Amino acid sequence: MEETAQNGANEIKPVSDTLLVLSKDTNKIEMVKGVDKEGNLQKFPPDDKKGNDQWVRVDKHGDLFSNFFSNFYRQLKDPTQFNFFKVSEYDAVNTAKDLQHYVDQASPEEKEKLKEYAIQLKNTNPLKNQNTMENNTETQEYRFQPEQIDWKTMEKFGLNQEKLEKLNAMDSLLRGFKTNTLIPITINLGTAVSKMDVRLSLQTADNGEVAVNLHGIRKEPNYNLKFLGHEFTDEDKKNLKESGNMGRVVDLVNPKTDEIIPSVISRDRLTNKLVAYRAEYIKIPDEIKGIRLDDHQKQTLLEGKPLYLEGMTSKKGELFDATVQFNADKRYVEFIFNNNQSQQQSQQQSESNQQSQKNDGEAPRVFRGKELDDAQYDKFKAGQTVYIDGLTDSKGKAYQGYITFNKETSKTDFSFTNPNKLKEKAQPSEDHKTQKAVNSDGKTNEATKNIKEPLESKQQQPANKQQEAQQKKPTRSKGRKM
């Protein structure tokens, strides 16, 4: 039964939950009011009677609360500085006072144990988040839940939750990012069916519903046109073409509000569309692969510039050097090992394929962003050669070919021509087998064993009277001299 409370006007209304917060810097328990536009937490002490009607009220149901808290947590400028507790608004003030008394008297060990009662995000532990490149707060939390997605619209594109999970696309979607790879979709227009590869993303519409965005592929951006008021220099164009990042902060104009917004610009390497990201939202990790960044290095990255780092340590424990730079499309600091677009895209495709076949040598369902249908996949995982089309190269040009899954190496072999046809051409037909055996392999054929000349194409019998005479001539055996 839902908890209720009676107010002064003798009206019965449902009791909601609210949030208490423990600030790590002040060690104070306070009531949560909300988050301002700058991402600062709004709060007030529990004994402030004027603020009692202003505290945040949260639906008590599990999924709704998870969605609320995920969005609330994402808006905070520095969320790891707080521990949040969900309590009933009915006794929130008394609970806050009791909790403050506990905190004031608690030992360091007891305070650490208190974290077990704090709210934890799904798939994320905000209390353990470290500000490193591998564990960035913004990329760890979920912005959406699967039940919020408009699956009826997804079905119109030939997609469902199971298919997106097989393509390893759900995680990026739920975090509020574009899918890491191109997703094959089908658009049925009634009179025509169109197939294309796109990146997908989710966005909250003005009515509060979650909309599905399609990001199609274009040949290249039009650098001659202004982008949100910015006119590209030759250096801007060069950087965007080579590394995918423009490399500096520029003022962009919001077309709806005319607001001036300092931003960085990157090129989506899969679709070739330009993407902008507010400079004020850029988060730079304290450490990248074992290298502690100083203030100067952080400022370089905050300005959108590339930064070369030496002596980083890979997951395998090996030292390596690379350039790092903030990417507006990915919304985090990325590694840039070279400035060649095709190699970068090839690396992304390789990572995607590796991700698809990570389960103990299992044949991948997706090859270079193209998902195999059931019939293709059954043949492919059995080691047979499969024809595949709809692939796109680094310049956006479509191509097709043949793929074969090598079970011994767990790798996918690709060929523009059917390797089975090449093998068939290399093997002699039944008509030629006798000729090959006699002329090339030194074998003997009873019907032609006495013929001195090489056999003709497809020849299995004497070809003329001379050869017939040679064949009828008895074979003289050579004896050993005594």
Side-chain angles (χ1 to χ4, degrees), residues 55-294:
W55 60 40
V56 64
R57 285 178 169 80
V58 188
D59 195 294
K60 298 171 67 65
H61 299 290
D63 288 341
L64 294 176
F65 176 80
S66 297
N67 293 337
F68 160 81
F69 189 71
S70 177
N71 290 328
F72 171 85
Y73 193 85
R74 178 177 56 83
Q75 296 173 41
L76 289 173
K77 181 184 297 183
D78 196 1
T80 57
Q81 293 302 310
F82 307 104
N83 291 336
F84 294 95
F85 305 88
K86 183 178 73 168
V87 298
S88 170
E89 68 168 332
Y90 182 74
D91 53 4
V93 174
N94 290 332
T95 302
K97 292 179 179 179
D98 292 341
L99 196 55
Q100 184 66 66
H101 180 73
Y102 175 86
V103 171
D104 291 339
Q105 304 295 324
S107 65
E109 292 77 14
E110 291 172 326
K111 288 181 181 179
E112 190 69 23
K113 191 173 181 63
L114 184 63
K115 293 180 180 179
E116 298 178 7
Y117 301 93
I119 303 172
Q120 309 291 330
L121 284 176
K122 285 185 178 181
N123 302 298
T124 303
N125 187 344
L127 301 172
K128 295 181 180 180
N129 255 329
Q130 300 296 321
N131 193 19
T132 65
M133 190 165 181
E134 292 76 24
N135 194 6
N136 189 291
T137 302
E138 186 179 51
T139 61
Q140 287 294 308
E141 62 185 283
Y142 286 97
R143 182 179 177 183
F144 304 101
Q145 298 299 321
E147 56 269 21
Q148 292 179 280
I149 297 176
D150 184 357
W151 291 113
K152 290 185 178 180
T153 299
M154 285 290 194
E155 288 176 3
K156 295 179 181 179
F157 303 135
L159 301 173
N160 54 39
Q161 184 171 346
E162 181 182 3
K163 188 171 185 179
L164 289 173
E165 287 174 348
K166 287 182 179 179
L167 294 170
N168 300 309
M170 283 296 292
D171 189 74
S172 298
L173 285 176
L174 297 182
R175 295 188 193 280
F177 296 99
K178 287 185 284 188
T179 54
N180 292 327
T181 59
L182 294 172
I183 306 296
I185 67 169
T186 301
I187 300 178
N188 193 333
L189 302 177
T191 57
V193 176
S194 177
K195 294 184 177 182
M196 65 181 70
D197 292 335
V198 300
R199 293 182 77 180
L200 299 174
S201 67
L202 302 176
Q203 183 178 5
T204 304
D206 294 337
N207 60 4
E209 296 181 357
V210 176
V212 181
N213 291 335
L214 304 182
H215 306 273
I217 302 173
R218 62 176 61 180
K219 187 175 182 180
E220 65 177 359
N222 190 342
Y223 298 111
N224 295 323
L225 296 178
K226 287 186 177 182
F227 178 74
L228 299 178
H230 173 68
E231 189 170 346
F232 296 105
T233 65
D234 290 340
E235 185 69 18
D236 292 340
K237 298 174 185 178
K238 179 176 179 292
N239 291 338
L240 286 166
K241 289 178 181 179
E242 293 182 352
S243 72
N245 304 315
M246 197 171 76
R248 65 190 181 110
V249 176
V250 293
D251 289 336
L252 301 182
V253 181
N254 186 321
K256 294 183 179 179
T257 63
D258 291 332
E259 177 187 4
I260 305 298
I261 306 172
S263 307
V264 291
I265 301 174
S266 295
R267 173 177 54 81
D268 182 334
R269 298 189 185 100
L270 292 179
T271 66
N272 279 325
K273 289 187 177 180
L274 297 177
V275 181
Y277 191 74
R278 285 176 178 259
E280 62 178 311
Y281 292 163
I282 295 177
K283 293 183 179 179
I284 303 301
D286 295 326
E287 182 179 303
I288 298 179
K289 295 293 184 180
I291 300 297
R292 193 81 179 173
L293 301 183
D294 58 33

Side-chain angles (χ1 to χ4, degrees), residues 212-457:
V212 181
N213 291 335
L214 304 182
H215 306 273
I217 302 173
R218 62 176 61 180
K219 187 175 182 180
E220 65 177 359
N222 190 342
Y223 298 111
N224 295 323
L225 296 178
K226 287 186 177 182
F227 178 74
L228 299 178
H230 173 68
E231 189 170 346
F232 296 105
T233 65
D234 290 340
E235 185 69 18
D236 292 340
K237 298 174 185 178
K238 179 176 179 292
N239 291 338
L240 286 166
K241 289 178 181 179
E242 293 182 352
S243 72
N245 304 315
M246 197 171 76
R248 65 190 181 110
V249 176
V250 293
D251 289 336
L252 301 182
V253 181
N254 186 321
K256 294 183 179 179
T257 63
D258 291 332
E259 177 187 4
I260 305 298
I261 306 172
S263 307
V264 291
I265 301 174
S266 295
R267 173 177 54 81
D268 182 334
R269 298 189 185 100
L270 292 179
T271 66
N272 279 325
K273 289 187 177 180
L274 297 177
V275 181
Y277 191 74
R278 285 176 178 259
E280 62 178 311
Y281 292 163
I282 295 177
K283 293 183 179 179
I284 303 301
D286 295 326
E287 182 179 303
I288 298 179
K289 295 293 184 180
I291 300 297
R292 193 81 179 173
L293 301 183
D294 58 33
D295 292 341
H296 176 73
Q297 290 171 319
K298 288 183 179 181
Q299 187 60 35
T300 298
L301 294 175
L302 284 171
E303 293 173 359
K305 299 175 182 178
L307 175 67
Y308 185 74
L309 294 178
E310 296 179 334
M312 290 180 285
T313 306
S314 69
K315 291 182 180 180
K316 295 182 180 180
E318 300 173 349
L319 295 179
F320 71 101
D321 307 331
T323 297
V324 295
Q325 190 173 21
F326 187 86
N327 183 282
D329 178 45
K330 298 176 181 178
R331 290 183 263 176
Y332 58 77
V333 177
E334 65 172 351
F335 292 107
I336 302 177
F337 292 98
N338 58 70
N339 291 330
N340 186 284
Q341 175 188 350
S342 60
Q343 290 183 10
Q344 288 174 342
Q345 193 165 28
S346 174
Q347 181 183 355
Q348 289 175 336
Q349 290 172 341
S350 174
E351 292 171 353
S352 173
N353 291 338
Q354 290 172 6
Q355 179 72 13
S356 299
Q357 52 184 305
K358 63 182 178 181
N359 298 324
D360 299 328
E362 181 182 348
R365 185 86 188 203
V366 180
F367 178 75
R368 298 181 183 175
K370 179 75 173 182
E371 183 184 25
L372 305 181
D373 60 35
D374 292 339
Q376 287 176 312
Y377 186 65
D378 288 341
K379 292 176 61 179
F380 180 65
K381 68 181 180 181
Q384 300 180 40
T385 298
V386 175
Y387 174 78
I388 185 171
D389 61 0
L391 303 174
T392 307
D393 64 17
S394 61
K395 297 182 179 179
K397 186 178 180 180
Y399 68 99
Q400 58 282 324
Y402 297 83
I403 56 174
T404 309
F405 182 63
N406 190 323
K407 295 182 179 180
E408 295 181 1
T409 62
S410 295
K411 292 183 178 181
T412 300
D413 298 325
F414 174 83
S415 174
F416 285 101
T417 53
N418 191 339
N420 292 335
K421 293 292 184 182
L422 295 177
K423 290 179 182 178
E424 291 173 4
K425 290 182 179 179
Q427 294 294 328
S429 64
E430 291 297 326
D431 293 333
H432 289 83
K433 282 185 177 179
T434 300
Q435 176 197 359
K436 176 181 183 296
V438 174
N439 294 348
S440 302
D441 302 336
K443 302 283 181 71
T444 300
N445 177 37
E446 191 65 26
T448 61
K449 63 181 182 180
N450 293 328
I451 297 176
K452 299 177 180 180
E453 300 88 8
L455 299 185
E456 300 285 336
S457 174

Side-chain angles (χ1 to χ4, degrees), residues 13-67:
K13 64 177 183 178
V15 174
S16 300
D17 283 335
T18 189
L19 295 177
L20 302 182
V21 61
L22 170 60
S23 302
K24 295 181 181 179
D25 54 349
T26 64
N27 216 33
K28 294 293 184 182
I29 298 290
E30 295 178 281
M31 317 291 292
V32 174
K33 181 178 179 181
V35 182
D36 64 21
K37 294 181 179 180
E38 283 70 40
N40 299 311
L41 181 65
Q42 295 176 312
K43 55 190 187 300
F44 57 90
D47 55 2
D48 184 356
K49 295 181 179 180
K50 294 182 179 180
N52 286 351
D53 292 332
Q54 301 181 44
W55 60 40
V56 64
R57 285 178 169 80
V58 188
D59 195 294
K60 298 171 67 65
H61 299 290
D63 288 341
L64 294 176
F65 176 80
S66 297
N67 293 337

